[in-house]
Amino acid sequence: MNDFKRLILSAKAVALFKIVINDECIVSLLKLLEADKNNEKEFLSLYSDFISLLYEKTDDLCQYINSLLQNDENVYVRESAKGQASPILKKAIENELDFFESLSKITCDDVKGIIETDIYLPEWKNSNLSVKEEYIKKIDSIKTTGYGIYASHRMFLYKDNEIVPVKYPDPQRLSQMSGYELERQKVIDNTIALINGKPRNNVLLYGDAGSGKSSTIKAIVNEYYEMGLRLIEIKKNQLYSLPDVIEKLADNPLKFIVFIDDLSFSTNDSDFGALKAILEGGVAGKTDNIAIYATSNRRNLVKENFNDRNGDDIHLQDTIQEVMSLSARFGLKITFSKPNKDLYLSIVENLAMQYNISIANDELAIQAEAFALRNGGRSPRTAKQFIEYLASK
């Protein structure tokens, strides 16, 4: 039995990497290996089909197959993440990895040898790496690298009942932020506890708009991504799906921040109860690898008006206490207040250094204050907008 025929037959027996073996480019390659050596027209057509699909991603066959294997989410990966992969699964995965190792080493010259032709055939390359060894490394470090979409992305959205990656996440880093060091350190310490599997709190960051609450959370994820930290952002109107999100993440070896931005409720908001149940530690909320981080411009998350307190509710105090209690369900509450003049100018000066803007501090301060007056007052956001305005000039 020649090598190509054995590969084609082995492909039929692949069970764990089913998604990989059914990849459009891999299917095209296997068809090419099976081409009739007496039919030049068919061979050329199959060859060009394969090359076209490969070039869409890369010109390196080994790298292409390695990427497919690294991002595949199969039963062996999931069981390995829980430390429960059986000897039968381990033997099956080893045999399938041997198959993909052989497939990744197929060269242009190997395929061109199927048929004699004087037509020019585009080429591909084969990296000097072992897809089997790379996969074993991945499994050994799965608690920090993750698997599936979580291996190659750090921030995600919940959309149409699915967790989907953010292709271009906010690149903000902690080193780029100034001011609010004490407030930020509390969030960092809580996050490190989450990463290390220690007791952690759900966190509420509240305070004035533009003070860096959301940026702090995203910068922390960027800082600790390589330690196995990921972020899932859900919108307020998706809070009813929180149990589903938590269930999807519960068995994952990574650590997750479920991020809710700009949180507030009206008194009759049905989403209020969904979040409260999770924060109170209901069955769906008891997972060691997840913490909820929320931001709000309000310390009391439920908006009230005087009619709410003067209505016809017989047990008015009970209702008021329920309304006021939601923020108390967050174990850690951190205030980001509007900066005073000194803090605001300190942030401006720090950003000016980052952007390589050379203006005398006195002149920089005058312009920064004037900009703040025209744009709603002092805040880290205003400071950044001001520096970006200078940089654009």
Side-chain angles (χ1 to χ4, degrees):
M1 184 184 299
N2 64 44
D3 290 342
F4 284 176
K5 186 174 182 181
R6 184 173 184 82
L7 280 174
I8 292 163
L9 289 175
S10 296
K12 304 293 184 183
V14 169
L16 295 176
F17 289 110
K18 208 67 177 176
I19 292 176
V20 176
I21 202 66
N22 288 323
D23 174 78
E24 189 176 18
C25 186
I26 299 299
V27 169
S28 182
L29 174 59
L30 292 169
K31 286 182 179 178
L32 176 59
L33 299 183
E34 207 172 4
D36 183 353
K37 65 180 181 180
N38 298 313
N39 190 333
E40 183 179 10
K41 184 183 291 187
E42 179 191 61
F43 174 84
L44 294 175
S45 178
L46 291 172
Y47 192 99
S48 66
D49 288 346
F50 165 65
I51 286 289
S52 177
L53 291 168
L54 181 65
Y55 281 5
E56 284 292 322
K57 301 294 184 181
T58 179
D59 61 357
D60 189 323
L61 177 61
C62 194
Q63 288 286 4
Y64 182 79
I65 292 176
N66 186 60
S67 178
L68 290 177
L69 297 176
Q70 292 285 317
N71 291 311
D72 188 57
E73 182 177 338
N74 56 60
V75 64
Y76 176 75
V77 172
R78 294 192 295 271
E79 292 300 297
S80 294
K82 295 185 285 187
Q84 298 175 359
S86 69
I88 290 176
L89 275 177
K90 290 178 180 179
K91 185 174 181 180
I93 207 77
E94 185 172 344
N95 277 276
E96 293 191 11
L97 287 172
D98 286 337
F99 160 75
F100 283 108
E101 182 78 22
S102 298
L103 195 67
S104 72
K105 300 304 181 187
I106 292 174
T107 66
C108 298
D109 291 340
D110 292 334
V111 174
K112 289 176 183 179
I114 294 175
I115 193 170
E116 291 185 12
T117 181
D118 59 359
I119 302 297
Y120 169 74
L121 297 174
E123 298 187 345
W124 67 83
K125 59 187 178 184
N126 304 78
S127 293
N128 185 27
L129 66 80
S130 166
V131 298
K132 182 176 181 179
E133 289 179 7
E134 291 298 311
Y135 193 82
I136 292 170
K137 288 180 188 176
K138 169 197 171 66
I139 296 299
D140 290 342
S141 61
I142 198 166
K143 290 188 177 180
T144 54
T145 59
Y147 58 83
I149 58 174
Y150 304 109
S152 53
H153 297 84
R154 66 189 66 185
M155 297 186 190
F156 304 82
L157 298 172
Y158 190 68
K159 186 177 180 181
D160 298 328
N161 298 321
E162 292 293 334
I163 296 171
V164 297
V166 176
K167 292 183 179 180
Y168 306 104
D170 188 336
Q172 181 79 57
R173 300 303 294 253
L174 289 173
S175 59
Q176 298 171 321
M177 307 181 79
S178 61
Y180 303 94
E181 281 80 9
L182 291 176
E183 293 86 350
R184 198 168 289 117
Q185 191 60 49
K186 292 177 183 178
V187 188
I188 292 170
D189 291 343
N190 191 74
T191 304
I192 291 174
L194 169 67
I195 292 170
N196 292 333
K198 296 180 179 179
R200 81 284 180 261
N201 286 300
N202 296 313
V203 183
L204 174 63
L205 293 76
Y206 66 90
D208 295 287
S211 55
K213 302 182 295 295
S214 301
S215 294
T216 290
I217 295 171
K218 293 172 184 177
I220 287 173
V221 173
N222 288 330
E223 197 74 24
Y224 297 104
Y225 163 73
E226 292 185 354
M227 293 175 65
L229 183 65
R230 304 292 186 269
L231 179 145
I232 315 290
E233 181 174 0
I234 71 170
K235 306 298 183 184
K236 188 184 80 70
N237 61 2
Q238 298 174 318
L239 289 177
Y240 67 91
S241 298
L242 259 177
D244 180 54
V245 173
I246 290 173
E247 185 177 347
K248 289 177 186 291
L249 303 175
D251 290 331
N252 199 295
L254 299 175
K255 308 298 182 181
F256 293 91
I257 292 173
V258 174
F259 174 47
I260 311 165
D261 199 18
D262 197 19
L263 186 62
S264 65
F265 298 95
S266 60
T267 51
N268 60 351
D269 197 326
S270 60
D271 294 321
F272 173 90
L275 179 58
K276 186 179 176 185
I278 294 294
L279 294 175
E280 284 179 337
V283 174
K286 292 183 178 180
T287 54
D288 295 331
N289 66 330
I290 299 170
I292 295 174
Y293 285 19
T295 68
S296 179
N297 295 337
R298 304 171 58 90
R299 187 177 190 280
N300 295 316
L301 298 175
V302 182
K303 298 176 183 178
E304 288 187 283
N305 56 48
F306 286 112
N307 289 335
D308 293 328
R309 300 207 176 199
N310 297 322
D312 56 2
D313 192 338
I314 295 175
H315 302 288
L316 179 60
Q317 284 303 315
D318 290 348
T319 301
I320 292 172
Q321 286 302 313
E322 180 182 20
V323 165
M324 301 293 286
S325 68
L326 183 59
S327 62
R329 297 296 190 275
F330 288 90
L332 184 59
K333 296 179 284 295
I334 304 170
T335 306
F336 281 68
S337 301
K338 183 175 291 188
N340 59 27
K341 181 178 178 179
D342 289 342
L343 178 55
Y344 171 68
L345 293 179
S346 173
I347 294 170
V348 168
E349 291 173 10
N350 185 279
L351 288 171
M353 291 176 61
Q354 291 181 32
Y355 280 74
N356 296 317
I357 293 173
S358 54
I359 298 177
N361 284 348
D362 290 346
E363 178 60 25
L364 186 68
I366 292 170
Q367 292 190 38
E369 283 285 87
F371 189 90
L373 285 172
R374 294 193 303 268
N375 291 275
R378 304 183 187 106
S379 73
R381 181 184 295 162
T382 303
K384 187 173 183 180
Q385 289 170 345
F386 167 63
I387 293 300
E388 289 177 342
Y389 163 73
L390 290 183
S392 69
K393 295 176 65 177

